[in-house]
Amino acid sequence: MTVSYQPPGSFVLEAGRGKAIRVAPGTLVKITNPYGTQAIDFWAYNAEDTAEYVSTEHIRSVNSTVPVNKATRIVSWKRRPLVSIAEDTSSGDHDTLLCACNAAIYAELGCEGYHRSCADNLHEGLGELGVEVPFTPGPVNLFMSVRAEPDGTLTRLLPTSKPGSHVTLKAERDVIMAFSCCPQDVTTINGPDRTVRDCLIEVLPPSGEGVA
Ligand SMILES: [Zn+2]
C-alpha cells in the first residue's frame, strides 16, 4: 500500500490522541503547544522502508547530548538524519530518555480498565495509513522536561514552555512522522493540573508558495 502525502494545512492533534503523516523531503511541519504544558511523543520513519526509524539511542550517541535542539542531528539507527528542528520557540526541553507511556505503565499507576497511551497512539496512527511496525521505538518527547542529575537519577520536571510555543520540524528525507499528544493524566508530566490538552499541527506549503 502506498501512503499518500499529507497535503499542506493544519489539524488539531486532539488531547490524548495520535496521528501519523507522510511528508516529502524538505516539508516543514509546525507543532504548536497552545498551553505550553502538553508533551508530544514524536517518531519518524523512512517512508520507503519503515524498518529505518529515528533512534533516540543513536541521537544521543551521534550528538553526545540528551535533549534535542536545532543543532541536533535527529538520526535513524543507520545514523542518517531523517528530520531536523528548523525553528523552536519553546523552552528547548525535548527529552530523549523516557519511553513512550504504554498499558503497563498505566497498570503500574493503578489505572483500572483501558487508558490511552502514546504507544497505542503510535500504532493507531500508523495503522490509519496502513503501516504496521513491530514495536514502539523510544520517542523524542517534544516539550517534555526531564533532567539527568549528576548522581545518575532522573527528575521529571513540570513543563517549562510558554503558551503558544512551537517547534517546526523539517523532513530531511521522505518520512512518516507520528505524533502522540501524551494522554498521561496521572503524573504531572503534562502539568500540575494533570490535564491533557489539544495541540495544533500545521503542514506548511513548499517554500515559494506562501502561506494562505
Ligand atoms: Zn505518553
Side-chain angles (χ1 to χ4, degrees):
M1 175 176 171
T2 303
V3 178
S4 302
Y5 291 105
Q6 182 76 17
S10 61
F11 58 87
V12 173
L13 185 67
E14 290 179 33
R17 299 278 169 161
K19 171 102 173 152
I21 58 174
R22 182 181 187 182
V23 292
T27 305
L28 297 173
V29 180
K30 180 177 175 182
I31 301 110
T32 302
N33 204 326
Y35 298 88
T37 52
Q38 181 62 46
I40 298 176
D41 288 31
F42 169 73
W43 300 263
Y45 294 82
N46 177 344
E48 291 164 351
D49 175 14
T50 55
E52 182 181 9
Y53 55 88
V54 160
S55 160
T56 46
E57 301 98 307
H58 286 272
I59 291 173
R60 296 190 298 269
S61 167
V62 164
N63 298 280
S64 296
T65 57
V66 169
V68 298
N69 57 43
K70 285 173 74 171
T72 306
R73 300 180 71 222
I74 301 177
V75 296
S76 71
W77 56 265
K78 293 187 178 180
R79 297 173 85 86
R80 307 190 291 185
L82 296 191
V83 298
S84 60
I85 294 179
E87 189 180 25
D88 187 357
T89 67
S90 77
S91 65
D93 279 354
H94 307 298
D95 171 62
T96 63
L97 291 171
L98 291 189
C99 57
C101 60
N102 67 1
I105 288 177
Y106 290 107
E108 274 178 11
L109 291 169
C111 296
E112 292 180 9
Y114 181 69
H115 192 292
R116 298 198 66 81
S117 71
C118 286
D120 286 355
N121 283 343
L122 168 67
H123 297 283
E124 269 185 28
L126 292 175
E128 287 171 7
L129 301 182
V131 173
E132 269 187 57
V133 297
F135 65 95
T136 304
V140 174
N141 296 306
L142 298 171
F143 306 103
M144 187 189 286
S145 190
V146 177
R147 188 168 64 209
E149 305 289 0
D151 68 359
T153 58
L154 293 182
T155 303
R156 293 163 173 80
L157 300 163
L158 293 172
T160 55
S161 290
K162 290 193 171 68
S165 298
H166 70 264
V167 175
T168 302
L169 299 172
K170 180 183 179 189
E172 296 292 340
R173 304 182 80 85
D174 186 346
V175 292
I176 293 173
M177 297 183 177
F179 305 92
S180 170
C181 187
C182 180
Q184 178 57 270
D185 55 3
V186 184
T187 74
T188 57
I189 205 76
N190 289 313
D193 60 357
R194 297 173 166 80
T195 300
V196 180
R197 294 181 165 91
D198 290 350
C199 290
L200 188 71
I201 295 186
E202 190 175 1
V203 178
L204 300 178
S207 58
E209 291 187 11
V211 179

